[in-house]
Amino acid sequence: MTGVQSCALPILIRQKTLPFAPWADPRTRRLPGIVPIEMAEWLEVDDAYAAQMAERDRLIAEVPDKVLALMPRAQAAANELLTLVLGQLPALGFDCAPDRVRRPDGVEVALDPAQPMATLGRLVQEDLCLMQPGPDASGAPGHVLTGAALCFPAGWTLAEKLGRAMMGIHVPVAKYTEDLGARVQRLLDGVQPGRVLMRGTAHHSNAALHNPRLEAQGRAPEGDLPYIRVERQGLVRLPESGAVAFSIHTYVVDPADLSPEQAAALVEFPIREAA
């Protein structure tokens, strides 16, 4: 069931159902597993919305330096992203006014164009990262992470990755090889405005949603891994700035809550990398 544990323990929020299981669809089963979807399908409100948003509100209020970042070059792209997201919200059950938005859980969020990433982080379940054409500070080509509202990192730290291109961002992910990196870069180069590219990842996990780890710590989990953590990731081109918005919708489920079809597919195509 969806629930929040005692504040004395890491906050654990789970979905009652899993809307997207990447191992159950042959299109998303293998890397990079990209599927085009409609813009109206980009953002979601699921059964853990209220609990996830309460945790996002807490993190943004208490540790904004850990979950929010925006390089000066990304300010215009961040405001463009805010405008794009606001246009999607009425169809998802949000009550939108010029200066505020009432979320589906009843919480009102003031719209602050001076703080676009903080505003976005308090509106939608998706973590949102801005990727802009590089090179990065090291001279690496590609798209560079220039801003984010990242409340639910799965084993990485925003401050360590900010300003890096994709290969640097994915250190120390063993599966992110030079070949895969080149394929992902071609996808980033090819994303067209008005079209969303979606992919998914799945891991066994025992961690809270907010699980930052430094590269030196590695990503290997410890102990029992009773839950499945799924990321539904989207790529959206912002037409004015040319930036790519990378969205991450995170689900954490108990395997007992998988549908019969998802459970059967998991037996045939087991998750092999835990995080």
Side-chain angles (χ1 to χ4, degrees), residues 120-238:
L120 285 163
R122 297 197 58 219
L123 290 174
V124 294
Q125 286 176 267
E126 285 79 8
D127 282 322
L128 293 165
C129 301
L130 285 169
M131 308 295 300
Q132 294 183 275
D136 67 10
S138 72
H143 282 66
V144 176
L145 177 62
T146 57
L150 183 74
C151 292
F152 302 150
W156 59 288
T157 300
L158 177 56
E160 198 170 39
K161 307 294 188 180
L162 189 69
R164 292 190 189 181
M166 291 296 286
M167 286 302 299
I169 290 171
H170 284 86
V171 174
V173 180
K175 285 187 175 181
Y176 203 86
T177 61
E178 292 282 349
D179 176 67
L180 179 57
R183 292 159 66 190
V184 171
Q185 186 56 51
R186 287 195 294 271
L187 287 167
L188 288 169
D189 291 337
V191 177
Q192 299 299 313
R195 182 187 184 199
V196 184
L197 299 180
M198 185 269 289
R199 68 181 295 266
T201 66
H203 313 279
H204 295 290
S205 180
N206 58 7
L209 281 168
H210 181 66
N211 180 37
R213 292 175 65 91
L214 296 172
E215 290 173 5
Q217 295 175 290
R219 301 186 70 190
E222 299 174 354
D224 294 334
L225 306 173
Y227 306 113
I228 296 173
R229 179 171 178 144
V230 170
E231 291 186 357
R232 182 183 184 268
Q233 303 172 351
L235 296 171
V236 179
R237 175 78 65 190
L238 304 179

Side-chain angles (χ1 to χ4, degrees), residues 15-34:
Q15 275 81 1
K16 298 175 183 177
T17 60
L18 181 60
F20 169 61
W23 66 84
D25 187 331
R27 301 174 300 168
T28 57
R29 190 174 295 147
R30 296 181 179 178
L31 294 175
I34 297 289

Side-chain angles (χ1 to χ4, degrees), residues 15 17-21 37 39-49 52-53 88-89 92-94 104 123-126 198 230-233 247-251:
Q15 275 81 1
T17 60
L18 181 60
F20 169 61
I37 61 173
M39 182 63 72
E41 302 174 275
W42 174 34
L43 304 173
E44 289 187 336
V45 172
D46 66 33
D47 59 55
Y49 180 86
Q52 282 199 0
M53 296 312 299
Q88 305 299 308
L89 297 185
L92 295 171
F94 292 74
L123 290 174
V124 294
Q125 286 176 267
E126 285 79 8
M198 185 269 289
V230 170
E231 291 186 357
R232 182 183 184 268
Q233 303 172 351
S247 62
I248 309 165
H249 191 117
T250 302
Y251 316 93

